[in-house]
């Protein structure tokens, strides 16, 4: 594929994959705010798991088993045998048939409503494992003990009602992490201490009835810890010469330092310094920012290795270090970032679900850590380099095989491993990533057949496997990708004909099969793909004539049929392609004349044909 044609493909993809590419991502100064908003909000999607029915109740997935185990712990710890109503509890019935329990379509527990049901005893810490829980209503019982801090792990929780019990102790600070809370009821207990200040922002709360003071009023408790980490970053990355460094190292509240967002009790939750002329190494002290949700240091001149201490950022939801000059291995400790990819709330009250791991366009080496397969909430994994050539000079050089563990990333939307030195075959298990919209594995050294399982990725919009060493025929299962917009298989060793099943790709706008060993004729049905704007079949062994049907695609911008074994005359109908920007048809055995309308094509090889323009 010529450099100009390749640039056309790359530029189109660069702007469409805004999630995975920092070049089209949120500006450096944009501050999505992961604190409790005062307006309605969108919820993050539940984990897509198989439904639990009575027929398979004894064959629960590990995550379903965790939900059941949490409910069993609640039953046992609160004297379930003596509840007013305990219908179906501890039975083999589906969980949504247990009294007071509601589940979603995937069988995950979303609500527990056991108010006024004579619960006694203490609340179990296992409740914190109910990852999809939205409502927990246990008011009006005789529950004792303390509020489990593990409730702070229920990231989707909107409603928490524990009022009118006999709870004691302090309100756990961990509840501040429940950014979706709209109702919080804790009154009529025996709670002591202070109220975490962020909880006062919850719309429907009864905290005033507690007669407790806000925590850390005046001096933030964690201010010194976070200041020390930020000071280390400033000194390590040439802070005096940043583009903007307003208030850094001053006595001003951290929320007033450029690029920072902090909670009312002084914890840094966002660090946004992209494209700010940071130079030097990332200090390990950043791993001490325990409440950090978003870290964006992309598009700077950072060097050295990625600190393994970043794996300590348990609350991190989005990590962007792309377009720098970082080197060395990807720390396996990043596999500990269990919340990476979880949505957060922006300034307008909407959930932002583009979170991920962005490490593309650096100088990283070594293999892809299999531990990244632990990041169950990840939406974007971008460690490729195919787009660095457009506005960056360095590329990653990751080697080894694609870890099969990446198939565990069930929430993944974008996977970009392009432009590295990866070897081996494409794992068939990637076909399990049913939420995937973009799969970019181009410009590696991958071999073997294209797995038929890729055809299971029905949400796929971008499939880029070009410039590898793939063999065999084009998988007919690719015809099942009904949402596919761009298919790039160029620069491989693929043989056989162009499968008729690809005619099902009605949304296709870009098709690049150039630089293979394809045989047979150009299918006439290509002219029936309404959105087709770029077609590259160059450098194959295609025979026969050019189908006149291609003339129906009047908005086509790129047409490259060069260096095949095509014969016959150029169909007059192709003169309808008046919007062509790139036209390559030389290196064939064409005869006759050239459509007059093609005289206006700015980038063509028509002079190499030796044919006159039609009169």
């Amino acid at each position: 594929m010529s450099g100009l044609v390749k640039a056309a493909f790359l530029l189109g993809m660069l702007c469409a994959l805004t999630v995975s590419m920092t070049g089209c991502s949120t500006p450096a100064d944009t501050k999505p705010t992961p604190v409790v908003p005062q307006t309605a909000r969108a919820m993050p999607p539940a984990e897509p798991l198989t439904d639990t029915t009575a027929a398979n109740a004894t064959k629960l997935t590990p995550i379903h088993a965790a939900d059941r185990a949490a409910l069993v712990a609640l039953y046992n710890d609160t004297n379930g045998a003596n509840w007013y109503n305990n219908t179906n509890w501890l039975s083999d019935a589906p969980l949504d048939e247990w009294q007071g329990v509601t589940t979603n379509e995937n069988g995950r527990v979303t609500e527990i409503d056991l108010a006024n049901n004579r619960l006694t005893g203490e609340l179990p810490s296992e409740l914190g494992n109910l990852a999809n829980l939205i409502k927990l209503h246990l008011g009006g019982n005789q529950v004792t003990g303390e509020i489990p801090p593990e409730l702070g792990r229920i990231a989707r929780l909107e409603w928490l009602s524990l009022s009118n019990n006999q709870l004691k102790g302090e309100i756990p600070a961990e509840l501040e992490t429940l950014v979706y809370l709209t109702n919080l009821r804790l009154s009529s207990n025996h709670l002591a201490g202070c109220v975490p200040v962020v909880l006062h922002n919850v719309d429907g709360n009864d905290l005033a009835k507690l007669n407790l003071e806000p925590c850390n009023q005046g001096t933030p408790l964690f201010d010194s810890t976070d200041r020390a980490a930020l000071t280390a970053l400033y000194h390590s990355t040439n802070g005096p010469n940043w583009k903007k460094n307003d208030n850094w190292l001053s006595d001003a509240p951290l929320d007033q330092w450029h690029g920072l967002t902090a909670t009312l009790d002084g914890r840094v939750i966002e660090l946004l310094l992209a494209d700010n002329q940071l130079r030097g190494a990332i200090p390990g002290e950043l791993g001490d920012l325990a409440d950090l949700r978003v870290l964006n240091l992309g598009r700077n001149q950072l060097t050295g290795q990625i600190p393994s201490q970043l794996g300590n950022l348990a609350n991190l939801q989005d990590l962007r270090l792309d377009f720098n000059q970082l080197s060395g291995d990807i720390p396996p400790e990043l596999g500990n970032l269990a919340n990476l990819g979880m949505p957060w709330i922006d300034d307008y009250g909407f959930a932002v679900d583009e979170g991920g791991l962005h490490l593309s366009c650096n100088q990283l080496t070594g293999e892809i850590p299999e531990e990244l397969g632990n990041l169950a909430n990840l939406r974007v994994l971008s460690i490729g380099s195919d787009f660095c050539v457009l506005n960056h000079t360095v590329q990653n050089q990751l080697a080894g095989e694609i870890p099969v563990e990446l198939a565990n990333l069930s929430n993944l939307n974008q996977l970009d491993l392009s432009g590295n030195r990866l070897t081996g075959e494409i794992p068939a298990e990637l076909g399990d990533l049913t939420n995937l919209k973009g799969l970019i594995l181009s410009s590696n050294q991958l071999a073997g057949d294209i797995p038929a399982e890729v055809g299971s990725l029905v949400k796929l919009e971008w499939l880029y496997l070009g410039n590898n060493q793939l063999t065999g025929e084009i998988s007919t299962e690719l015809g099942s990708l009904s949402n596919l917009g761009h298919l790039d298989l160029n620069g491989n060793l693929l043989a056989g004909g162009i499968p008729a099943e690809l005619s099902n790709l009605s949304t296709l706008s870009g098709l690049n099969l150039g630089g293979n060993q394809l045989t047979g004729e150009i299918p006439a049905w290509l002219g029936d793909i309404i959105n087709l704007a770029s077609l590259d079949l160059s450098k194959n062994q295609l025979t026969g004539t050019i189908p006149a049907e291609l003339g129906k695609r009047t908005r086509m911008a790129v047409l490259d049929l060069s260096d095949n074994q095509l014969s016959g005359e150029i169909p007059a109908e192709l003169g309808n392609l008046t919007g062509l920007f790139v036209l390559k048809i030389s290196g064939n055995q064409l005869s006759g004349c050239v459509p007059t309308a093609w005289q206006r094509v700015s980038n063509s090889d028509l002079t190499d044909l030796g044919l006159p323009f039609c009169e």
Side-chain angles (χ1 to χ4, degrees), residues 443-482:
S443 302
N444 281 288
Q445 300 167 28
L446 300 171
D449 294 349
I450 299 173
E453 289 79 0
V454 174
S456 301
L457 304 176
V458 294
K459 295 183 180 180
L460 209 61
E461 299 174 6
W462 300 82
L463 179 58
Y464 276 64
L465 305 179
N467 296 304
N468 281 289
Q469 300 169 20
L470 300 174
T471 55
E473 298 187 354
I474 298 174
S475 175
T476 58
E477 285 79 6
L478 298 186
S480 301
L481 303 177
S482 57

Side-chain angles (χ1 to χ4, degrees), residues 521-524 527 535 543-554 559 561 566-578 580 583-585 588-598 606 609 611-615:
E521 298 186 353
I522 298 175
L535 176 63
T543 56
T545 59
I546 300 175
E549 288 80 359
L550 292 182
K552 294 190 290 186
R553 302 281 60 84
T554 56
L559 177 62
L561 307 178
L566 302 173
S567 58
E569 297 185 358
I570 301 172
E573 290 84 352
L574 268 63
N576 297 328
L577 305 181
T578 56
L580 285 174
L583 173 62
K584 306 288 185 181
I585 58 173
N588 288 290
Q589 297 150 26
L590 301 173
S591 58
C593 60
V594 177
T596 304
W598 286 1
L606 295 180
L609 294 179
L611 299 176
F613 285 102
C614 302
E615 296 182 359

Side-chain angles (χ1 to χ4, degrees), residues 72-394:
V72 170
L74 176 64
Y75 182 90
N76 290 332
D77 289 3
T78 59
N79 196 19
N82 289 310
W83 293 352
Y84 286 131
N85 191 335
N86 60 9
T87 303
N88 284 328
W89 276 74
L90 305 194
S91 74
D92 289 335
L95 297 183
D96 63 354
E97 295 182 10
W98 292 21
Q99 169 64 29
V101 177
T102 303
T103 64
N104 60 20
E105 66 275 10
N106 299 314
R108 302 303 306 274
V109 175
T110 57
E111 295 185 12
I112 300 175
D113 188 345
L114 295 173
N116 303 302
N117 200 40
R118 203 164 64 185
L119 277 68
T120 58
E122 300 185 359
L123 297 179
S125 61
E126 287 87 346
L127 290 178
N129 297 331
L130 296 172
N132 286 266
L133 194 65
I134 296 174
K135 179 178 181 180
L136 179 60
H137 188 5
L138 302 178
N141 287 290
Q142 295 91 44
V143 177
T144 56
E146 299 184 353
I147 300 173
E150 289 81 4
L151 296 185
R153 297 204 306 254
I154 310 176
R156 297 179 173 88
L157 199 62
E158 290 184 352
W159 184 301
L160 177 59
S161 177
L162 303 176
S163 59
N164 293 289
N165 279 285
Q166 300 174 28
L167 295 167
K168 61 181 181 179
E170 299 186 356
I171 301 172
E174 287 81 357
L175 297 188
E176 287 189 318
T177 65
L178 301 177
V179 297
Y180 295 103
L181 272 183
T182 58
N183 284 276
L184 177 63
R185 308 292 177 181
L186 300 178
S187 62
S188 299
N189 282 288
H190 306 297
L191 298 172
C194 57
V195 178
V197 288
V198 173
L199 297 183
H200 285 284
N201 294 334
V202 178
D203 286 336
N205 72 74
D206 62 356
L207 299 177
K209 297 179 180 180
L210 300 179
N211 294 318
L212 300 176
E213 293 293 325
C215 298
N216 306 319
Q217 207 168 25
T219 304
L221 178 63
F222 302 104
D223 186 273
S224 60
T225 301
D226 287 7
R227 279 180 186 264
L230 298 171
T231 299
L233 175 66
Y234 185 87
H235 289 308
S236 181
T237 58
N238 195 22
N241 291 311
W242 292 355
K243 272 187 188 178
K244 294 182 179 180
N245 58 10
D246 299 352
N247 287 325
W248 275 74
L249 305 194
S250 73
D251 292 333
L254 294 181
D255 195 59
Q256 296 179 17
W257 291 23
H258 172 72
L260 297 187
T261 302
T263 61
L264 294 178
D265 61 346
R267 297 314 306 257
V268 175
I269 54 178
E270 291 179 352
L271 176 51
L272 307 175
L273 293 175
D275 193 19
N276 201 43
Q277 296 181 1
L278 277 68
R279 297 177 181 269
I282 301 173
E285 288 87 342
L286 287 188
D288 296 332
L289 298 174
D291 276 27
L292 195 65
R293 309 288 179 83
V294 181
L295 175 59
N296 188 350
L297 302 180
R299 294 188 175 277
N300 285 292
Q301 294 87 47
L302 297 172
T303 55
Q305 298 188 348
I306 299 174
S308 61
Q309 293 92 330
L310 296 187
N312 298 331
L313 300 174
N315 290 300
L316 199 65
Q317 295 166 275
D318 192 35
L319 175 59
R320 297 174 186 256
L321 303 177
D322 47 350
F323 291 92
N324 280 288
Q325 300 168 29
L326 299 169
S327 58
D329 295 350
I330 298 175
E333 289 82 359
L334 296 186
N336 298 331
L337 302 176
N339 283 313
L340 207 60
M342 287 291 292
W344 65 91
I345 299 298
D346 66 13
D347 290 332
Y348 303 99
F350 294 104
V352 180
D353 61 354
E354 301 174 355
L357 180 58
H358 301 259
L359 304 178
S360 61
C361 303
N362 281 287
Q363 299 174 5
L364 300 172
T365 55
E367 298 187 356
I368 300 174
E370 62 182 34
E371 288 82 358
L372 298 186
N374 297 330
L375 303 176
N377 291 302
L378 203 64
R379 265 64 176 176
V380 178
L381 176 55
S382 178
I383 51 181
S385 297
D386 244 13
F387 309 100
C388 307
V389 294
L390 295 177
N391 53 7
H392 203 60
T393 57
V394 300

